[in-house]
Structure formats: C-alpha cells, structure tokens
Amino acid sequence: MPEITLTQAPAHIRMGSSIGQPLTRREGVLKTTGAARFAADNHPPGMVYAALAVSSIARGRVTALNVAAAMAHPGVIEVMTPKNAPKLALDPDAKNNPFMFRLDLLQNDRVRYANQPIAVVVADTLEAATEGVALLEPQYEAEPARTGLDSDDSFAPAAVGAGSPAEESHGDITAGLAAASVRMEAVYDTPAQYHNAMEPHAIVAAWDGDTLSIDTPSQGMAMAQARIAGLFGIAPEGIHIRSPFLGGGFGSKGLFSGPQVLGIMAARLVGRPVKLVLRREQMFGPVGHRAPTRQTLRMGADGQGALTALSHHTKTASSTFDDFFEPAANASHALYASPAIATSHEVVRIDTGTPLFMRAPGEAPGSAALESAIDEMALACGMDPLAFRLKNYAEMEPISGKPFSSKALRQCYEQGAERFGWAKRPQAPRQMQDEAGMLVGWGMGTAVFPALMFQGQARAMLRQDGTGVVETGAHDMGQGAWTALAQIAADSLGLDLDRIEFRSGTSDLPDAGIAGGSAHTATVGTAIHGAGADVIGKLADLAMDDERSPLFGAGNAGVIARGGRLHRRDDDGRSESYADILARAGLAEIEGRGTGAIDPAAQAAYAMHAHGAVFAEVKVDPDFGQVRVTRLVGAFAAGTVVNPRMVRSQYYGGMIWGVSFALHEHAVMDKRSGRLMNPNLAEYYVPVNADVPSIEAILVEERDIHVNALGIKGVGEIGVTGTAGAIANAVWHATGVRVRSFPITLDQLLDA
Amino acid sequence: MNRFEYARPATLAEAVAAGAVPGAAYLAAGTNLMDLMKGGVMRPGHLVDISRLPGLDRIERLGDGGVRIGALVRNADLAYDTDFARRFPSVAEALLSGASAQLRNAATAGGNLLQRTRCTYFYDTASACNKRDPGTGCDALGGENRLHAVLGWSEHCIATHPSDFCVPLTALDAVVEVEGPKGRRDIPLENFHLLPGSTPERETVLEHSELITAVRLPAEAARFAANARYLKVRERTSYAFAVVSAAAALRLEGGMVAEARIALGGVALKPWRARAAEAELAGARPEPVTFRRAAEAALADAKPSGDNGFKIELARRIIVRTLTLAAAGTPERMPALPASPFSGAITHA
Ligand SMILES: Cc1cc2nc3c(=O)[nH]c(=O)nc-3n(C[C@H](O)[C@H](O)[C@H](O)COP(=O)(O)OP(=O)(O)OC[C@H]3O[C@@H](n4cnc5c(N)ncnc54)[C@H](O)[C@@H]3O)c2cc1C
Ligand code: SF4
C-alpha cells in the first residue's frame, strides 16, 4: 500500500484544528479511479486460484466426493478434502476464549450447516477451479435438519453477546406489573439476516517457510494474526497481513473466518500462493449472520404514564456447535426509566452456521421490538409517543443506577421533533393522506448505543524537517478511518494535516485492536492522541531545558503545540519550531507511543452511551399494502464529532440499514432442508436507491469529559437503532395495523 | 465454468443450423442465461451467440400501423423510443418497471420472452424441481412459496413467469415471429408459453432450434393508446420482480367501454390473459363496480398453491386500480415514470 498523499485544502488552518473539519475521504480518489487495491486485487507471482465447495445439506456427513473427476479436469492442481487437508496445530473446535469461534476446516466429514465448506479445489484458473467444484458431486448421509425457533428444547445461556449476563434485573417486575393501571404484552419477530458487504471475504495467501504473507480484509488484524498463529503453530510475528481497505465489514470480518483459513491451508498444501474469494451465495453460512429472534415485551404504567415495569425476553437461535447469542433483550437496559426492569434470553440450537456480531448486534432487533412496544404502550396510556418517552426519560442508567457520562437525548428529541414537524402529528392512526390517496403515517424511535472502547496502540514520530509520522494498524472499512484518524493524528502533533504521514492498514504497525462496537475511532484516536502527546512532551522537555531556546524555563506555565511550533502558554509570542528544537538537540527524530483503552475508574462510575431520536414518515398504499419510507430525520448526540461529513454518512448508512431492517431484509430458509433459498442480491432484498428517502442527520452538540480524552463516542451503529422501530410505528400510524413481524411486508397490510 | 462450444454465426440461417445441435442454446445478452450457467442450472454444450446477428435490432413501423420489434432490440431502447412509447404506452411502462437500468440496457426483447422462472427451488440445484430435472418432484410445494402461482398451476409445478414486458404484449395480441429449420412461422403470444400440466420442463411451443426473430404488435393495439396502463406491485421500489402486476387497455366510446384488454403478471407460469374480465367490461360503463366485477371474473379460478393466498385478493385490487388508471387516461408524459412516493402534499383528516 503506497503512502497516501494528503491533498486537502488547508481550510482547517484557519480553525486551528483538524478535528471537526468535514474533510472528504483521503482515499476517495484512489477508490473512484480503481487504484485502491482490495485484497482480491493482488496477484503475487505464481498465484493459483482456489474455489470452495460447500454442502447442500444442513446436517449429516459427506460420504463421497468425486475427487478423481475434479482432478482430471484440465487446470486443476489439487483438491483439498479431509483426507489430505493439512493437519492443524490446534483443534479448530477448541475454544479458549469467547471470541474464539469454532471453524469448519476440513478436519472431518461432518456437516453442521448448509453452505459449510466441504472441499477446496485449487487450479490454474478460477474457471477450472469452479468447474472442479462442480465435478465433485458430493454424496451425503443426511440427517433431518433442525430449523426454526421451535425445533428443539431451549435453554438459558450463561452469557449473551460479547459476554454480558443473559439475565439481568432490578426492582420487582411482578409487583411493578401488579401495581400498573395500564399493561401491555406483545411478541415481536425478527428474521435471520446475513452480512453482505460489497466485497465478499477474500484472501491471497503466500507461504515462505513458516512465514506467511496475506492480503485479506480484516476488522481486527492482531486478533487474526493470533488466530492464524494458533491454528498453524507459527509465530504471530511471522504473519504479515495487509488490509488497507475493506469493501465493508459490518462485523462479519471482525473475527477470522473459516474460508479465510482454508485459503491459507490450500496455499500450504500446493506450495504456491493461493487466492480464494467467496461467491455471493457462500456469504450465507460460514461467515456469520444475525440470528432470528422472538421477543416478548411486557410493560406496566401508572395513571400518569410512568412505567412501573419493563420486561424484555428474547428467544433466539444459535448453531449446534458454538455459542453466539444475539443479546436483543439488553436493548432495554439503558433507555427508559422504570422502577422494575427484567431482561432475559433463551436459546435453541439449530442447524445453521454460527451467528455473529452484525451491525448493532442485539441492539438492532432489540430496539425494533422495544421501540414498537413503547409506541404501543404510549397508545395504551393515551399519550403522544414523544411525550411518553419524555415522561419516562432516564436521568440515571435504569439497569445500573449509574449517572450518565453525558446524555443529550433531550436535545435530540427537541431538535429532531422540531425539524420533522412532529408537533402536527395527530394522535390517532389513519388521519393523514397525500394527494394520490396514499395513507401517511409518522412514527418515532429512540436510538441508543453504548460508548465502548477496546485496546489500541499507536506510534508517533516527529522528524527533523518538522513533519510527523503516525502509525497504527487501524482498519478502514469505508467508514473513513483513514481520514478521521489522520485528523486526530495531525492535531496530536500540532501539525497541519499535510505535514503528517499517516500509516495504517497492515499488521506490522502497532495493534489497533478491533474495528467494531463503534469503538474504533474512540480507541485508536485516544492511542494516537496519547502518542502525539508523548512526542510533544519530549520535545517540550528538550526546549524548556535548553537555555538557547525561547521556551527555556517555561516549565510551570507549559507550552502549546500548534502549526509545527511550540508556544509558551503564557506568552504566545515566544515560540520555536519543531525543526529548530530537533536540530539544536542533534536529533533526527523523536518517537512517542500511546494506548487507547477505557478508563476503568470512569467506567465504574458512569454509564456511557450515545443517544439519538429518529422520526420517520411512511406512505402506504391503502389497497396494496406497499410501504415506502418518504422521510427520515435523525438527531444524534455522540460526543466529539471528529469529521462531520464521515459522521453524517455513518448516520445515513445506519438509518438506511434501519429501512432495510423494517421493510426488506429477510433470509428465507427452507424449513425442511435448512438451505437458504435467497442467497443472492437479486432475491435477498436490501433497499435500492429508490427506496431511500430524503434523510437528514442532525449532529447534536455533546461534550463528554469521561469517555476518553477526546470525548469521542461511537457513531457506526447507532443509526440502525431507533430507525426500524420508528418506521414500524409510522406504518401503524398510517394504517392502524400493528405489524409485529419484521420485515413488514405488504401481505401483512392487505387487510388494513 | 463448464466447457461448451461457442459459435457466433453470421446469418440467421447459419444460426438456426447451429442451434439444431442437441444441447445448443441461443445466447442473446445473457442476463438470464449466464446466471443460470454460473449456478449450474443450465449446462448447454453449445452456445450460439446471436447477439450480433444483423437486422434483428430494429423497431419497424409496419405499413398497416403495427410495429415489428426485432428480437435483439434492447429493453431500454424500446421503452425510450418515443414513437413506440406513444403508441404502446403500457408496453413502455412495463419495460421500465422491470429489472434495473443496467439490465434493461442489455436485455433483449427475445430474451425477455424466454427468461426462465425465478422460483428459488429451480435455481437451487440441490432441490427437487420438475422443470429443471423432469420427474424429480417439486420442492416448492410445501416449501417457501409465498410468491408462487395462483392460476393455471399443477401439482407438478407452481412457478410463475417473471416477465413484465410480456404482460401488456399478451393483452395487446402480440405475435411472436419465429425462424426454424422448417422455416418461418407466427405464434400468438397468448399461445406461446405453456402452462405446466405434467410437463413443466416444456415452457413454450417453440421447437428445438427455433429462433425468435421479432415480436409484432398489430395496428389495433395502438387504438388503446389513450387508455393503457401497466401497474406492478413489488417488495421494493425497483430491481424486484412483480408480486402481481396487471396491464389494462381500454377503448372508450361515448363514455362506455367499447373494448377492454387485461392481462396479469406474476400469477401463473405464463402471462395471463383475463378474457373473462374483458367480457365483463365490454359495453359497460367504466366505473368501480364494473372494474371490481371484472377483477372477480379474472380470478374466479384462482387458488393458492401454498402460502400465497394473499396474491388472489391483491391481484383483484391491482386489476381495479389499473383499470381506474387506464380509464383516467394515459399520462401526457410517456413512458410514465413510476409514481414517486416522495412527492405530493399531505392532508390531515
Ligand atoms: C436481477 C435481475 C432482475 C430482473 N428483473 C426483471 C423484472 O423485474 N422484470 C422482467 O421482466 N425481467 C427481469 N429480469 C429479466 C431480464 O429481463 C431478462 O434476463 C432478460 O430480458 C433476458 O434477455 P437476454 O437478452 O439477456 O436473454 P439471455 O439471457 O441471453 O437469454 C435468455 C433465454 O432466452 C433464449 N433466447 C434469447 N434470445 C432468443 C431468441 N432470439 N430466440 C430464441 N431464444 C432466445 C436463450 O437461449 C435463453 O434461454 C431480471 C433479470 C435479473 C438478472
Ligand atoms: S415450482 Fe416449478 S420451477 Fe419451482 S421447484 Fe416446482 S417444478 Fe421447479
């Protein structure tokens, strides 16, 4: 990956800071001209092509593969099956920590889900490898597939999501419900959804002895390195990963997947570099998905509309061989004040690939159900949905009783409602129409997402010519990390953006942790901020201790770094350039390091979340039940806005995802076979441009001094929350029909 | 990719000869055929590329007022031909409601007629499918069949024909011109596609190696231009096949319906001409009760083939709406763009 030149006009110079500037993506030109190199664009010398064969049964054994027929096909080099697959140093079914997911790596003939890899064909060309796969004609011993949430006994898991307790409560639910004068209970269904980034999982792997060079999209290079090292029994340092750009990840590229490992195994087997790219339909199985849920919400409220009890139970599904449980009920922890809250989960094991983190895992389906239920409860109390939410506004985090590190949700409600025109909303349904006779409805939902941080490192350097270098193994998934982190880097060194070189996207750089949980900018940004501060501190020491410097003796007053110079804090006129300080000290460069991680004391003391309010308008054809979202207004408060352009596009993307959740996405599984029937982008619906309404995202000011030094919360996932519920509520408002099964399809509205 | 012979004949006669080889398939734009080959659903041993055959890419206005649409005319070129769209507005509307802009730029008229069903079990080669592999059974029965047929289906196959283009063409008495080893022949589009019966693998009356050269619309079809519409209901605004669609064309005289044409899409394995509904309308006043009567007549024989009973009432409502729109008159601007849901003032009750 060549170093990217910084071409932004220095408008920020006038403002004195790069953070806060709406810069366009620094790699935008590379991407639009095709010069950006994604994993599958690499062709090391001698490279051959691998194609995956996947199972068409969901449960059973592979009894035969016609390897001879595939081998006889011109161009086919090798067929990797359990018979000849390289043995691994670690059982891929071993699980030493909750983030180690069990992988299907051709170590036996067992089939545990449809689309599970059962062989890999390697050939001179992709065409030959593909035909080799077709010639394998697998034979199976099939067992009946277990599908659907009612196919087996369920159990209460020990933990859900990334290790949260499966059951939590505070207060007395039974008493709260008994004391209520208004009660509701309803069940909401959400379907299985599959991550479908534009770029499918891809890997180009090349071995040299026991060192390994790979190009692959990754949301967590250091974790991938560790996983590969463990499986192959090699040193992590011997594994070099390049992942400069991801064509989207959404959680499915967070943990190293089975197919990626198979590419490495194939390269080992044939002794040549191998490229393996998943076909679109192969994205539906071995690389994770969002599990289906059935959620039961029970609420009680007193005569004034104050909640007395909120109970949220989720039944979900996981694979038969691993433990990821969609933590949907936890969406009820942080939003609405109630003296009694209880959340719980229950799981059934089915013959499916293991579900995984998918954009707003738990929060997305949980919010869709909770926000629908809150709307139903507001109606039952005879209150406007916004007034009801304000009535139950939480001043402390409801489940824990902790104060919030910051919470500008009230302002989100106000600004969003104002912009949307919510005040004109009639309370009863079916009150509005447009000129064409379409039913019009308005609905809202509250958005919330925890402000998380993982662990990340960064290195910063000042060079003798006064320019800086900042390095961190961060991941640009299209969200704009290359740009936002470079802005933070520039500020951390007190340099203009065009005076720094920002290096990122390879595993030999400092570990930037994982790009997930909406925590990447907060984590890595904090690390960069620390690394820059470390450099500036050393530089200041040099100057202040040197009597030849105009800054000599500034000790107590301190200095400020700005525009490549250190200034005395108490006398701005006294300053010296970085270059001069370094030259006098006879140093070629100064290096500093920084770490980003949550402050445990702050975390113990405060509840940390980003918040938002989403308002939706829909139009529904009264005869056909066809729904169109025509307007979305979201107002979000997420601490410091590093780059308003990038942040806005995250909110837009999140809200569009919400449209998809509400109206489109649905993996169709044949209940008899366990096979997915719509594993392609023609039939697995996501919104097209014509489905995307006029969207506005309002950036609500919020300053948070507790989350981290820069005050950054995450923005990557919050837009999904709130939106699906807002749309469902708008559909009810338009039609008077409450659809509790997502996606909301026209057949469910025909009787409206 | 499976191995196949590839030929690009220079003339129609050579194409028909090359197509006579057993296992041969004609390749037009390939927007359907290539997908099917990549998925292993179709594995033709010979591909006869007709995409550059001369003379088949023309839209010709015939002396009697009809039109001949060459088999290789692109969907988009036809829809945006202003003379064509003015005279056959519902056909232009249907074309523009199909697929995506990119696909319409590539897809040909002949290929659209012969595109294969979107039944997901047909595409999933691990499923039993009588259409793909005769005699294996039909996994759509009792499976995921929300979008399957409600008219003309059999226990052997419950799939639908997915074309939009064919729906108004059927309503307007289009004729398919075919060239084969035994020479030329004309086939009325209404008789072109076959219902599944016990041989769902047999989809049209075409004999092996017969090649579509054109689709012809008769002069009478243009007499509906003032009152002809196509309406498609789907599960997203673009790039989705119809759940149900309808074409309606009326000839109004003195405030009465002199003649009506109605066809449905997405309900059967062929574009469905609703002659009983047409009969209800002939000589009647164009008003809601008549439209509803026509809709009832059109669906009189409908029955669910699975979880798709909703399509029957949906189809009736679409017929009523399409007739209402047709009676109101073809919009000035043609091809009429699908109505934008984002415009239009909102009134409070
Ligand atoms: C994602 C997607 C969405 C779509 N959505 C829609 C939609 O909403 N509505 C709609 O109507 N269509 C839709 N289509 C279908 C599209 O219209 C057809 O794929 C296209 O019209 C086929 O034309 P073609 O030239 O590409 O045919 P090809 O793919 O080349 O051929 C299709 C078939 O016709 C045969 N054939 C082609 N030309 C001739 C000829 N002249 N004589 C004899 N046989 C011939 C071929 O042998 C083949 O069997 C969609 C397609 C895709 C891929
Ligand atoms: S409905 Fe027809 S196309 Fe679909 S599986 Fe059954 S036989 Fe095949």
Side-chain angles (χ1 to χ4, degrees), chain B residues 117 119 121-122 128-131 137-140 148 156-159 200:
Chain B
T117 182
C119 170
Y121 294 91
F122 172 73
C129 171
N130 288 324
K131 184 184 270 299
C138 169
D139 271 350
H148 282 69
H156 300 278
C157 179
I158 60 172

Side-chain angles (χ1 to χ4, degrees), chain B residues 46-252:
Chain B
H46 294 255
L47 269 194
V48 180
D49 184 347
I50 58 168
S51 64
R52 281 169 249 196
L53 282 184
L56 298 185
D57 59 351
R58 288 201 296 265
I59 306 166
E60 296 165 71
R61 190 165 178 159
L62 303 174
D64 68 351
V67 66
R68 174 183 285 123
I69 304 155
L72 293 177
V73 172
R74 310 281 169 183
N75 288 189
D77 289 339
L78 183 58
Y80 290 117
D81 182 289
T82 32
D83 184 54
F84 177 83
R86 196 173 47 71
R87 300 198 307 132
F88 309 101
S90 57
V91 181
E93 262 190 310
L95 284 165
L96 290 182
S97 70
S100 65
Q102 294 86 343
L103 284 159
R104 295 192 297 267
N105 285 342
T108 65
N112 193 304
L113 264 54
L114 288 172
Q115 65 175 299
R116 310 203 60 193
T117 182
R118 305 302 294 197
C119 170
T120 54
Y121 294 91
F122 172 73
Y123 272 79
D124 176 32
T125 53
S127 293
C129 171
N130 288 324
K131 184 184 270 299
R132 179 171 22 79
D133 297 307
T136 54
C138 169
D139 271 350
L141 275 173
E144 295 295 329
N145 47 27
R146 240 182 108 241
L147 300 176
H148 282 69
V150 292
L151 282 166
W153 53 272
S154 75
E155 292 295 325
H156 300 278
C157 179
I158 60 172
T160 61
H161 191 263
S163 168
D164 291 302
F165 181 44
C166 288
V167 179
L169 286 182
T170 303
L172 296 174
D173 281 340
V175 172
V176 185
E177 295 183 7
V178 164
E179 184 85 29
K182 293 181 217 143
R184 275 204 51 174
R185 62 174 176 141
D186 281 357
I187 308 165
L189 182 58
E190 196 182 351
N191 305 333
F192 183 80
H193 297 95
L194 295 170
L195 287 174
S198 57
T199 53
E201 72 280 9
R202 207 162 144 58
E203 299 182 337
T204 67
V205 297
L206 282 186
E207 301 291 337
H208 183 63
S209 102
E210 275 189 315
L211 192 145
I212 299 176
T213 52
V215 178
R216 213 171 57 230
L217 276 167
E220 307 86 76
R223 293 164 64 193
F224 295 92
N227 298 88
R229 296 303 299 266
Y230 181 73
L231 187 67
K232 174 178 181 180
V233 169
R234 50 190 146 172
E235 301 201 294
R236 62 179 168 191
T237 308
S238 177
Y239 196 45
F241 289 94
V243 177
V244 177
S245 69
L250 300 173
R251 207 150 54 65
L252 300 177

Side-chain angles (χ1 to χ4, degrees), chain A residues 139-163:
Chain A
Q139 307 294 311
Y140 304 98
E141 192 179 287
E143 294 165 51
R146 290 154 294 189
T147 62
L149 288 172
D150 298 313
S151 61
D152 207 344
D153 292 341
S154 62
F155 62 97
V160 294

